[in-house]
Amino acid sequence: MESPEYSANLPGRLLVLDDDVGVSATICAIADRAGFETRSTTRAEEFFQLVADWQPSHLIVDLVMPDVDGVETLHRLALSGHQGIVIVTSGLGGRVLEAASRAAAENGLRVSGVLPKPFTPARLRSLLHHEPENSKRKPGGSDEPAPVSAEMLAAALAQKQLCVHYQPKITCATEKVVGFESLVRWQHPERGMIFPDQFISLAERHGHIAELTRQVFDISLAWFAANFLSSDLKLAINMSPIVLADAQFPAWIQQACTRYGVAPSQITLEITETSSMENPVAMLEYLTQFRIKGFNLSIDDFGVGYSSLVQLARLPFSEMKIDKMFVMSAATSIESQKIAAAVIGLADALNLNVTAEGVEDAWTLEFLRDLGCTHAQGYFIARPMPPESALVWLRDREGLKAS
Ligand code: C2E
Ligand code: CA
Ligand code: CA
């Protein structure tokens, strides 16, 4: 099906699928006054027929109907590749609605929001006029980066094509810079910059992660030592748990720090839990060794994947990072706000520092500060920057503070 192009100047076409004809009539009346052409139906088959024939620009789908499964309807709509704007509605609680609309957006629909019943005309009008961010990139889409191979990565390591960008981290309460996180990039001679999501798990699967980690440590420690030896700034470096299975690593990292004159207490190792932690006892031993040597340990991506309360209680972490998934959506999702608050409360109870990553606006930074979150990181503060730009950024910022 060709996806129609919608112009902001044309009146929209709204199609409503709801078993309650009273609700549909109300929605249509409000939309009509807002300049929309409207149709409604109570049956899924007729809904899909109208989607194909009438090509609506906006769709309102009721989640709960006697004979129709709303989640299935949204799924089918996503499969059809429909590019209209979707609003999900129901009388169920916000939690179910948010989950259904998230699934729809993940499947590629352009969801402008949820409409819990009962609703106000103002809420409906604002959803009808809200332009959602472009839905997720589709696999095979033109902006999907071409995959990289293990051979390419091996060559990149041999030719030292990796570089590191640095993202600042601040104290929420004072907004003072406390350090940087190292984030690896691959500067490919033809393709340009390749991001770690494209090659870290490949490196893990093909036995290149130890070499990659060594190179990142070398580059990061050299930069840090050249600029911050006498400061109280800290440097966070990501470490794959697979590297921890290598018994040589605690000693190697310690030697690297000694070589550059960096104290282990200036380094935080950020570790993301994965299912690959096959030997929990060895893991416990390695992590304990790092702590004894004076390194700080952070549990990364807390709240998603395999990070769990058990691991947090069992392993000697000194910090946790709330996954950016909850932080980025805090401004628009009550659920995310509650999860962020719970994680910060947990860190406080366990006497751990807590960093929120993915802070994208002033509201979120203030929200985190009010909750007592220790540190923050995110595009609102600064993006990851090449080494020279990170120094300039820091100088400018400290200059501003001093004046
Ligand atoms: P991570 O450790 O969770 O790092 C945070 C990611 O979020 C980074 O992506 C960063 O650029 C991005 N980010 C930071 N602030 C914001 C924000 O406000 N909004 C949004 N939307 N994103 C933000 P990046 O650099 O692409 O790295 C992705 C992941 O790759 C990292 O996630 C980390 O797990 C892994 N990684 C990066 N460097 C290394 C490394 O040297 N070794 C290992 N083992 N993994 C690495
Ligand atoms: Ca990290
Ligand atoms: Ca993360």
Side-chain angles (χ1 to χ4, degrees), residues 74-153:
L74 290 168
H75 193 89
R76 192 170 148 194
L77 196 61
L79 285 181
S80 78
H82 193 76
Q83 285 302 299
I85 290 171
V86 177
I87 296 163
V88 188
T89 180
S90 99
L92 289 176
R95 186 179 203 119
V96 179
L97 260 182
E98 276 196 33
S101 80
R102 209 175 304 128
E106 288 287 322
N107 277 332
L109 289 177
R110 300 173 67 209
V111 180
S112 84
V114 296
L115 185 67
K117 294 177 192 169
F119 56 86
T120 61
R123 168 81 187 155
L124 174 58
R125 276 196 301 270
S126 99
L127 286 174
L128 286 172
H129 291 118
H130 176 238
E131 180 73 17
E133 287 197 3
N134 251 359
S135 43
K136 266 190 102 179
R137 278 197 308 230
K138 299 229 176 70
S142 56
D143 50 359
E144 185 80 2
V148 294
S149 69
E151 292 70 35
M152 281 169 68
L153 182 59

Side-chain angles (χ1 to χ4, degrees), residues 53 60 93 100 129 150 207 217 338 361:
D53 298 345
I60 294 185
H129 291 118
F217 266 84
K338 287 183 182 157
D361 52 57

Side-chain angles (χ1 to χ4, degrees), residues 84-326:
I85 290 171
V86 177
I87 296 163
V88 188
T89 180
S90 99
L92 289 176
R95 186 179 203 119
V96 179
L97 260 182
E98 276 196 33
S101 80
R102 209 175 304 128
E106 288 287 322
N107 277 332
L109 289 177
R110 300 173 67 209
V111 180
S112 84
V114 296
L115 185 67
K117 294 177 192 169
F119 56 86
T120 61
R123 168 81 187 155
L124 174 58
R125 276 196 301 270
S126 99
L127 286 174
L128 286 172
H129 291 118
H130 176 238
E131 180 73 17
E133 287 197 3
N134 251 359
S135 43
K136 266 190 102 179
R137 278 197 308 230
K138 299 229 176 70
S142 56
D143 50 359
E144 185 80 2
V148 294
S149 69
E151 292 70 35
M152 281 169 68
L153 182 59
L157 287 166
Q159 293 162 24
K160 300 268 168 22
Q161 288 174 358
L162 296 188
C163 63
V164 176
H165 284 191
Y166 301 91
Q167 186 178 35
K169 191 166 150 177
I170 63 168
T171 297
C172 290
T174 60
E175 301 199 12
K176 208 173 154 328
V177 179
V178 287
F180 292 90
E181 177 177 0
S182 284
L183 294 157
V184 67
R185 267 86 182 108
W186 171 359
Q187 200 59 54
H188 192 279
E190 280 119 46
R191 292 205 197 169
M193 192 147 81
I194 306 180
F195 286 85
D197 286 341
Q198 291 278 107
F199 59 88
I200 292 291
S201 77
L202 184 79
E204 289 176 340
R205 279 180 279 120
H206 289 85
H208 298 309
I209 191 69
E211 176 57 20
L212 183 149
T213 307
R214 270 194 284 267
Q215 292 194 11
V216 170
F217 266 84
D218 259 324
I219 300 170
S220 310
L221 287 173
W223 177 76
F224 190 76
N227 298 289
F228 304 114
L229 266 199
S230 54
S231 75
D232 51 9
L233 294 184
K234 286 202 166 79
L235 181 67
I237 305 184
N238 290 285
M239 208 158 89
S240 158
I242 293 190
V243 172
L244 286 174
D246 180 343
Q248 317 288 318
F249 244 83
W252 185 88
I253 291 179
Q254 191 179 30
Q255 281 156 14
C257 286
T258 310
R259 206 161 58 231
Y260 289 104
V262 176
S265 59
Q266 287 185 285
I267 303 294
T268 301
L269 305 171
E270 296 194 358
I271 297 159
T272 307
E273 302 268 339
T274 67
S275 59
S276 68
M277 292 179 167
E278 278 143 15
N279 187 344
V281 180
M283 185 75 183
L284 182 57
E285 285 177 353
Y286 293 139
L287 291 181
T288 307
Q289 280 177 285
F290 279 116
R291 281 310 296 278
I292 291 171
K293 290 181 197 304
F295 292 97
N296 304 289
L297 289 184
S298 173
I299 182 166
D300 212 343
D301 298 343
F302 190 78
V304 299
Y306 290 89
S307 61
S308 71
L309 289 177
V310 176
Q311 260 117 19
L312 187 65
R314 201 173 62 86
L315 298 170
F317 288 105
S318 45
E319 183 202 83
M320 66 164 121
K321 290 189 92 169
I322 313 176
D323 192 75
K324 63 174 178 286
M325 176 185 194
F326 307 116

Side-chain angles (χ1 to χ4, degrees), residues 17-20 42-43 62-70:
L17 174 65
D18 197 313
D19 61 315
D20 185 332
T42 57
R43 291 182 309 112
D62 186 12
L63 262 195
V64 188
M65 300 185 43
D67 318 310
V68 188
D69 178 330

